[in-house]
Every structure is written in structure tokens, then in C-alpha cells.
Amino acid sequence: LKIDNEIDLFIEEVKKILELYINRMKSDSMRGRSITNDTAVQSLFLQLQHLQPKLLSYIKYKEDARAYYENLQDKLTQLK
């Protein structure tokens, strides 16, 4: 359950960063500015990039948990 709370917090963090990222890019676009020169966009992109390994580990954790429960369900079906 602790890891599920960690995942929920992680998701909220990613959502906040993505919202800022998208809003900043839209703002640049409306003003006709290039996002390549926007340090805020670059910083937010780097933040997202640094979160990727953690995201991949959470995905693996969830996939492993799903496989475990599917295997358990198969065993229960066999017992019936």
C-alpha cells in the first residue's frame, strides 16, 4: 500500500509539471515565440525527463503485480 501512495504522489507531480509545460508552450505559441529559447520549457522538459526512470520502475512494479495476481487466479481456477 505504501508504494501505491508513492505512485499516486508521483502521478500528481507529473500532472503538475505537464500542466505547466503545456501552458508555457501554448503561451509561447500564442506570442509567436520559439519554445527552444524558453528556459522554463527546457527546465520543465528536463524535470519530466528525470522522472522517466521512476515511471518505468512503477510500470514494471504494476506489471509484475498483475502477473502475480493472474497466476494466482489461474491457480484458484485449477483448484476449483
Side-chain angles (χ1 to χ4, degrees), residues 24-62:
R24 189 66 187 219
M25 287 196 309
K26 284 180 181 178
S27 174
D28 285 343
S29 177
M30 288 184 344
R31 293 180 179 145
R33 296 181 183 164
S34 172
I35 62 169
T36 57
N37 297 327
D38 189 334
T39 57
V41 170
Q42 293 173 4
S43 174
L44 291 165
F45 178 80
L46 288 175
Q47 287 180 42
L48 288 170
Q49 194 174 28
H50 286 109
L51 292 173
Q52 185 187 16
K54 190 182 276 190
L55 173 62
L56 293 175
S57 71
Y58 287 147
I59 290 171
K60 182 176 179 348
Y61 168 79
K62 287 294 191 179

Side-chain angles (χ1 to χ4, degrees), residues 10-20:
F10 177 78
I11 289 169
E12 289 305 313
E13 180 182 3
V14 170
K15 282 181 181 179
K16 287 177 187 176
I17 295 171
L18 279 173
E19 184 177 341
L20 290 170

